[in-house]
């Protein structure tokens, strides 16, 4: 990956593409590329949907190669939801194809004329072309994918927005197609789809054609490292057994048993209907119906934590809903029906919405009395309003924080205006520290302390105690920032945290691929460099320590069944980035 593609959507006569050398961005990939480009090129005080913001799309350092589970794609910008820097990432095929065409990043910039319609960007070995996307405007992601397949076949990669992105909703996601050319893999968080919509780009077609897989500089070292890396992933209980068998939704029963499963808009820590929507029940349901609980979101994945959910007649409904989605639309809303949750997951993907943000938002609407908790049909109707852009739909599509304000509720489980995911910070205090302090707004993936607090991976820190949580979150945030730069799936962290030899095998794989000499210290320094750039951007955007806090009611209201509050001190929160 030796070049950057810049697309100026405000160029006279229509969008213009230029290709340039990496220059100061040499050696960067994934989150390192998106966050450093945004921090250097985007004014921190700009309007996120205005002409000064940029959308940066970057494959990881290992993406496009034969490295196992390395197909992640980072998408970054100034977030219209949080007002700070944002990196959201997705699996699927497009990142791999971009990397094989040699692109380390696409930077979409400039001011789009709203009266100029939307464009389709086509990238292949011959270069870049722009086509009018009038026939795609108003289509949701699945219909868009079908149209593209008719024209280009299903061997290309597609990056697209649904109607939520066209309407610039703050909860809008960006979809990437999976190996079956379904738009199921989403860069969901932070409203990145709204930024793509603001630039007038409906979709990007990536046709790698005859472009070969990225070849390693040192083939023998790469093969040896990758072989040991795969052995480590397959030999770990989480990545080799739990996730392939039950997907991420294996966590439903685990978090309920730990008393950290937020229910009814974060009022309780256990959900009585958990067994009906658990990963074990979902996997069995898929098997009985003819679906598949073990499936990769991109080719080359060895963890295979995704799946295919089908209806009672064996017809495809959606990809296997992730744990966070099952929680957000399920337990959080008092809905214990897998078929309804799967339908809501499909609608989110189709409309182009973050499932976490929308599930929490609907839970807030339920708490406000718009519909009662447990009203599955009502939840579907509310989500359809978002897709249609009705007045109520526009409010809901703006996310949890704004919806709570519109209905006069204090109970908005958000940080930096982004909805909290499926772990209550009072009972899983390490992830509470991450929610509070990460540059991204409430985000479990930024420093997944659940691994150590609950699963006892990488050590054992008592989830109910405040002791050690700031240190745990700090170390995980540094490691995660670096991992997000590689293109490897976040879930490899389970194995590399527990198995030093698997961590070294990952380094050997990267070094063999790129001819580098990365050490563990280099990985740590990369993570710190990324976080420093993000923190500086947010500081210039107006964020202070006051924004690194949870809503006050988490310190006031006790969470059953443990009757705990979030009691990590402000001083400890402020120490997280002391490095």
């Amino acid at each position: 990956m030796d070049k950057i593609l810049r697309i100026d959507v405000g160029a006279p006569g229509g969008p213009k593409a230029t290709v340039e050398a990496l220059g100061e961005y040499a050696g960067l990939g994934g989150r390192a590329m998106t966050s450093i480009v945004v921090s250097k090129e985007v004014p921190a005080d700009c309007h996120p949907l205005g002409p000064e913001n940029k959308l940066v799309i970057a494959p990881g350092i290992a993406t496009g190669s034969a490295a196992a589970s390395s197909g992640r794609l980072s998408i970054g910008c100034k977030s219209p939801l949080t007002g700070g820097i944002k990196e959201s990432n997705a699996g699927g095929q497009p990142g791999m194809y971009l990397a094989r065409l040699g692109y380390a990043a696409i930077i979409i910039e400039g001011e789009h004329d709203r009266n100029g319609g939307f464009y389709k960007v086509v990238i292949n070995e011959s270069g870049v072309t722009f086509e009018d996307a009038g026939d795609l405007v108003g289509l949701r992601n699945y219909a868009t994918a079908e149209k593209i397949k008719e024209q280009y076949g299903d061997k290309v990669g597609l990056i697209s927005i649904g109607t939520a992105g066209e309407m610039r909703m703050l909860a809008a996601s960006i979809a990437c197609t999976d190996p079956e050319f379904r738009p199921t893999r989403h860069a969901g968080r932070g409203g990145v789809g709204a930024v793509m919509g603001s630039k007038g780009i409906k979709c990007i077609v990536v046709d790698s054609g005859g472009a070969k897989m990225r070849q390693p500089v040192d083939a023998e070292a790469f093969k040896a490292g990758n072989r040991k890396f795969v052995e480590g992933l397959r030999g770990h209980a989480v990545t080799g057994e739990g996730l392939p068998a039950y997907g991420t939704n294996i966590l439903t029963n685990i978090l309920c048993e730990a008393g950290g499963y937020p229910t009814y808009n974060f009022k309780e820590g256990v959900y009585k209907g958990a067994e009906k929507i658990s990963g074990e029940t979902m996997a069995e349901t898929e098997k009985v119906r003819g679906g598949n609980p073990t499936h990769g979101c991109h080719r080359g994945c060895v963890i295979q934590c995704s799946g295919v959910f089908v209806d009672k007649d064996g017809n495809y409904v959606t990809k296997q809903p992730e744990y966070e989605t099952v929680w957000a639309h399920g337990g959080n809303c008092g809905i214990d029906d897998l078929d309804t949750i799967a339908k809501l997951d499909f609608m989110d993907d189709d409309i182009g919405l973050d499932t976490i943000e929308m599930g929490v938002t609907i839970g807030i609407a339920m708490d406000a009395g718009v519909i009662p908790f447990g009203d599955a049909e009502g939840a579907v109707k509310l989500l359809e309003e978002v897709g249609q852009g009705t007045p109520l739909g526009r409010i809901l599509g703006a996310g949890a924080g704004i919806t709570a304000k519109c209905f006069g509720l204090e109970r908005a489980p958000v940080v930096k205006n982004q909805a909290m995911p499926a772990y209550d910070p009072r009972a899983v205090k390490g992830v509470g520290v991450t929610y509070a302090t990460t540059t991204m707004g409430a985000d479990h993936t930024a420093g997944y302390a659940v691994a150590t607090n609950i699963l006892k991976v990488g050590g054992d820190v008592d989830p109910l105690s405040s002791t050690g949580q700031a240190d745990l979150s700090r170390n995980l945030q540094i490691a995660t920032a670096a991992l997000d730069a590689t293109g490897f799936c976040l879930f490899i962290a389970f194995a590399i945290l527990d198995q030093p030899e698997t961590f070294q095998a990952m380094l050997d794989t990267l070094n063999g691929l790129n001819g580098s000499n990365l050490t563990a210290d280099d990985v740590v320094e990369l993570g710190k460099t990324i976080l420093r750039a993000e923190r500086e951007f947010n500081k210039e955007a107006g964020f202070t320590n006051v924004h690194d806090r949870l809503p006050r009611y988490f310190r006031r209201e006790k969470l059953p069944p443990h009757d705990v509050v979030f009691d990590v001190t402000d001083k400890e929160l402020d120490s997280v980035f002391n490095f």
Side-chain angles (χ1 to χ4, degrees):
M1 298 188 292
D2 59 357
K3 56 191 175 183
I4 288 175
L5 172 64
R6 285 189 186 267
I7 296 174
D8 181 0
V9 299
K16 180 182 178 181
T18 57
V19 177
E20 60 189 47
L22 293 175
E24 64 180 321
Y25 301 129
L28 301 180
R31 180 173 169 182
M33 178 67 80
T34 62
S35 289
I36 290 177
V37 169
V38 170
S39 69
K40 286 180 176 291
E41 299 190 13
V42 175
D45 60 351
C46 76
H47 193 291
L49 300 179
E52 295 174 289
N53 200 7
K54 300 186 181 187
L55 189 71
V56 186
I57 303 172
I61 297 169
T63 303
S65 73
S69 299
S70 64
R72 304 298 292 189
L73 179 71
S74 290
I75 300 179
C77 58
K78 178 176 180 178
S79 167
L81 183 70
T82 70
I85 201 164
K86 172 55 64 177
E87 183 266 355
S88 186
N89 67 59
Q93 295 299 112
M96 303 173 74
Y97 296 160
L98 277 174
R100 291 174 189 175
L101 288 171
Y103 293 107
I106 302 173
I107 302 175
I108 303 173
E109 56 193 9
E111 183 171 15
H112 170 64
D113 180 2
R114 291 197 74 160
N115 297 318
F118 282 85
Y119 288 92
K120 173 174 62 179
V121 182
V122 181
I123 305 172
N124 55 34
E125 287 185 294
S126 300
V128 183
T129 57
F130 301 93
E131 300 177 16
D132 180 83
D135 62 328
L136 302 176
V137 173
L139 295 184
R140 297 181 180 183
N141 280 312
Y142 273 84
T144 298
E146 284 302 310
K147 283 267 192 179
I148 295 299
K149 184 165 67 173
E150 290 172 7
Q151 188 172 0
Y152 298 95
D154 61 1
K155 300 299 186 286
V156 300
L158 178 66
I159 303 170
S160 65
I161 56 172
T163 51
E166 290 181 25
M167 291 185 280
R168 307 186 186 193
M169 290 181 172
L170 304 190
S173 64
I174 294 176
C176 294
T177 45
D178 63 18
E180 288 73 37
F181 205 68
R182 293 166 173 157
T184 62
R185 318 320 304 181
H186 285 247
R189 311 235 67 194
V192 291
V195 178
M196 186 163 161
S198 76
K199 297 301 182 185
I201 304 297
K202 174 64 176 178
C203 66
I204 302 171
V205 179
V206 187
D207 183 358
S208 61
K212 295 181 179 179
M213 186 179 293
R214 290 176 59 203
Q215 297 302 304
V217 173
D218 186 336
E220 289 305 313
F222 174 81
K223 289 179 182 178
N226 196 39
R227 183 173 60 253
K228 291 180 181 178
F229 181 53
V230 171
E231 289 173 358
L233 294 179
R234 288 178 173 163
H236 192 273
V238 176
T239 53
E241 298 175 25
L243 288 174
Y246 304 113
T248 60
N249 196 28
I250 191 175
L251 289 167
T252 291
N253 282 334
I254 293 172
L255 264 296
C256 277
E257 289 170 4
Y261 187 90
T263 306
Y264 304 113
N265 193 23
F266 286 76
K267 290 192 179 76
E268 302 173 13
V270 178
Y271 180 47
K272 61 183 179 181
E275 184 57 39
K276 295 180 181 179
I277 60 174
S278 69
E280 293 84 346
T281 299
M282 179 180 287
E284 183 60 29
T285 300
E286 288 167 342
K287 289 178 182 177
V288 169
R289 293 180 175 182
N292 184 5
T294 305
H295 178 270
C297 75
H298 68 270
R299 297 187 184 96
C301 172
V302 299
I303 299 175
Q304 302 272 306
C305 73
S306 186
V308 179
F309 190 93
V310 298
D311 65 18
K312 295 175 182 178
D313 297 319
N315 300 310
Y316 172 84
V317 176
T318 186
K319 92 281 190 185
Q320 178 174 273
E322 304 282 355
Y323 163 65
E324 282 76 18
T325 304
V326 175
W327 161 78
H329 283 307
N332 181 58
C333 294
I335 295 172
D336 61 8
D337 177 61
L338 281 175
D339 287 304
T340 297
I341 293 168
K343 183 175 182 177
L344 291 165
D345 179 71
F346 170 82
M347 292 175 69
D348 283 330
D349 286 354
D350 203 24
I351 297 166
L353 294 162
D354 175 19
T355 61
I356 296 173
E357 195 70 40
M358 290 316 302
V360 173
T361 298
I362 291 173
I364 287 171
M366 289 173 165
D367 209 2
V370 178
I371 59 174
F373 281 107
D375 184 353
E377 184 178 343
V380 170
K381 289 179 179 177
L382 287 183
L383 197 51
E384 186 56 41
E385 291 218 35
V386 179
Q388 293 174 1
T390 67
L392 176 57
R394 289 279 188 168
I395 291 172
L396 300 173
I402 287 177
T403 298
K405 288 180 180 179
C406 288
F407 287 101
L409 293 186
E410 178 197 13
R411 183 177 295 281
V414 301
V415 178
K416 300 178 181 70
N417 201 47
Q418 182 165 275
M420 292 182 188
Y423 316 89
D424 196 292
R426 290 163 289 191
V428 193
K429 292 181 180 178
V431 85
V433 175
T434 297
Y435 289 167
T437 61
T438 173
T439 53
M440 298 292 158
D443 184 350
H444 61 298
T445 67
Y448 193 64
V450 178
T452 309
N453 280 170
I454 302 297
L455 302 177
K456 309 309 177 186
V457 170
D460 184 353
V461 178
D462 182 358
L464 300 177
S465 169
S466 63
T467 303
Q469 306 296 357
D471 291 339
L472 174 64
S473 178
R474 177 193 305 112
N475 293 334
L476 288 171
Q477 289 193 56
I478 292 169
T480 300
L483 187 57
D484 285 341
T486 65
F488 286 120
C489 173
L490 177 63
F491 293 154
I492 73 165
F494 293 110
I496 64 177
L497 282 170
D498 272 347
Q499 303 166 348
E501 66 277 12
T502 305
F503 176 71
Q504 184 58 51
M506 181 194 74
L507 292 180
D508 293 343
T509 302
L510 290 172
N511 289 333
L513 175 64
N514 297 309
S516 53
N517 294 291
L518 284 173
T519 65
D521 289 342
D522 293 326
V523 172
V524 171
E525 190 53 42
L526 174 60
K528 290 179 178 179
T529 298
I530 295 167
L531 291 175
R532 288 188 189 108
E534 293 173 352
R535 291 277 291 181
E536 185 59 30
F537 183 94
N538 280 3
K539 181 180 178 181
E540 293 178 5
F543 288 85
T544 68
N545 288 355
V546 172
H547 297 94
D548 289 344
R549 303 288 186 264
L550 299 184
R552 293 178 69 89
Y553 66 86
F554 283 101
R555 293 190 179 277
R556 186 179 72 236
E557 297 181 6
K558 294 181 179 180
L559 179 75
H562 298 297
D563 292 331
V564 286
V565 297
F566 184 75
D567 58 356
V568 179
T569 67
D570 289 350
K571 183 178 180 180
E572 289 174 295
L573 294 178
D574 292 341
S575 74
V576 169
F577 289 96
N578 290 345
F579 53 74

